[in-house]
Amino acid sequence: MTVMTRTKFDVVALSKHIGAEIRGLDLREKPDDETVRAIYQAWLDHLVIVFPGQKLSQEDLIRATGYFGELGELSRPPKYFPKGYSSLLPGIMLISNIRENGEPIGALPDGEMMFHHDMIHAEVPSKATLLYSVEIPSTGGNTLFASGYAAYDTLDPAVRERLEGRRATHHYNYGSTQKGDNRGTVAFAECTHPVFRTHEDTGRKAVYVNRLMTVGILDMPPAQSEPLLNAVFDHAEKREFVYEHVWRVGDLLLWDNRCSSHARTDFPSSERRLMLRTTVKGTVRPY
Ligand code: OGA
Ligand code: MN
């Protein structure tokens, strides 16, 4: 007789609106299906989940990514590998400021990044992103996560009414982390999506525009759209809707790009930061 015993774990909320730590799971071991469902539910409830103290191989990271959907394709195979790595499994990319022959070995190498949703400039953006920390600087390089649900629910009705049912245009040039670098550049990709997105798992609406990539509202002149968008960004980035993650080596974070945005604080360029990253493919066009 087989008895399904769900692996026990604790879910500890990290802020009022977003973020929870999952304690008591070692992701080198495969949880049973019921446990995976419970983790998925905790993720839907908290938008961002942290698995602290992990010691993951690349295979472990790929397997854990699969608990949340289909593995996204690798967009940037590296030319150089950090110490201890001679190859990367398909689907894993590096986020790192480490340089070999003067070139960063990973994507998004340096410093501060504005709030954004990963791949919002694509027709079907990534559902989720996982980031696993291998090396971290002594200070900074924190990742901030903002709840798009909380921002939507509390948005000034006058602003919300003018944007409800509208679509926004997103523009992104790979590698840029500040709007100044992004705007006016040749688009890596450009796309329009609803300003407020309905989440296909929860049915809740979330703010789905961001300061880094959103450049306008469809069929609205910039003189009108810019103040509206700026009002939404200022609101959505308020501290009360944000959880700031201070990394420890061995943290695995999973975030939901459908209902949250994220940003990064600056960190010393003289110190190494290395993360392994995977994504989960989106399943629907945002609606
Ligand atoms: C990303 C990202 C933030 C960070 O990988 O999409 O935004 O803290 N990373 O490196
Ligand atoms: Mn990102």
Side-chain angles (χ1 to χ4, degrees):
M1 191 181 81
T2 52
V3 184
M4 285 296 280
T5 46
R6 178 157 98 64
T7 316
K8 284 210 175 63
F9 61 83
D10 291 316
V11 180
V12 180
L14 294 166
S15 79
K16 183 165 177 219
H17 295 290
I18 186 165
E21 196 168 287
I22 306 283
R23 295 192 185 150
L25 281 183
D26 179 347
L27 293 171
R28 286 176 299 190
E29 290 154 23
K30 191 190 175 318
D32 58 60
D33 294 348
E34 203 190 322
T35 304
V36 170
R37 276 195 293 276
I39 297 169
Y40 195 96
Q41 188 58 50
W43 177 52
L44 292 181
D45 293 344
H46 295 280
L47 296 67
V48 176
I49 53 178
V50 181
F51 301 91
Q54 302 296 317
K55 292 199 176 64
L56 306 182
S57 66
Q58 294 189 46
E59 287 80 2
D60 295 331
L61 177 58
I62 297 284
R63 191 180 54 255
T65 304
Y67 303 154
F68 305 97
E70 193 184 335
L71 179 70
E73 274 133 37
L74 178 64
S75 48
R76 307 224 309 183
K79 254 197 347 220
Y80 303 102
F81 295 94
K83 232 177 106 201
Y85 294 83
S86 57
S87 63
L88 286 183
L89 289 179
I92 298 184
M93 71 188 266
L94 301 176
I95 301 297
S96 186
N97 66 339
I98 299 170
R99 283 167 164 82
E100 292 283 347
N101 301 316
E103 265 183 78
I105 62 170
L108 308 174
D110 302 309
E112 190 180 359
M113 290 185 76
M114 286 180 163
F115 274 94
H116 64 280
H117 302 73
D118 292 335
M119 297 300 290
I120 200 171
H121 52 285
E123 295 284 330
V124 180
S126 304
K127 172 179 172 182
T129 304
L130 292 91
L131 206 56
Y132 177 60
S133 69
V134 179
E135 291 185 60
I136 54 167
S138 60
T139 179
N142 303 338
T143 312
L144 294 94
F145 296 94
S147 166
Y149 294 142
Y152 177 79
D153 292 344
T154 56
L155 191 59
D156 177 350
V159 174
R160 189 161 77 185
E161 271 155 35
R162 294 192 57 198
L163 292 172
E164 199 75 69
R166 294 274 193 168
R167 297 178 71 82
T169 303
H170 311 283
H171 172 112
Y172 188 59
N173 179 336
Y174 236 110
S176 65
T177 55
Q178 300 289 318
K179 193 154 211 147
D181 315 336
N182 184 27
R183 231 179 213 178
T185 55
V186 176
F188 166 75
E190 199 168 277
C191 211
T192 71
H193 294 300
V195 172
F196 305 123
R197 176 177 182 165
T198 305
H199 192 291
E200 62 269 25
D201 285 333
T202 65
R204 294 183 65 188
K205 274 187 164 185
V207 166
Y208 199 56
V209 289
N210 65 64
R211 204 181 290 276
L212 178 62
M213 296 156 163
T214 306
V215 291
I217 304 292
L218 208 61
D219 302 323
M220 192 185 277
Q224 280 174 38
S225 65
E226 286 204 5
L228 280 173
L229 282 171
N230 285 329
V232 178
F233 303 149
D234 290 345
H235 178 71
E237 295 173 9
K238 283 181 184 156
R239 286 311 293 199
E240 61 199 278
F241 308 132
V242 168
Y243 164 65
E244 178 167 1
H245 188 69
V246 180
W247 291 88
R248 298 149 298 194
V249 169
D251 283 342
L252 175 67
L253 262 70
L254 162 73
W255 63 83
D256 192 331
N257 286 306
R258 301 168 293 181
C259 56
S260 69
S261 60
H262 56 281
R264 183 173 70 192
T265 65
D266 202 8
F267 60 96
S269 59
S270 56
E271 292 189 38
R272 291 160 65 100
R273 190 175 190 267
L274 173 64
M275 311 277 188
L276 301 188
R277 181 187 197 264
T278 58
T279 56
V280 179
K281 269 188 195 166
T283 57
V284 294
R285 273 171 175 254
Y287 56 87

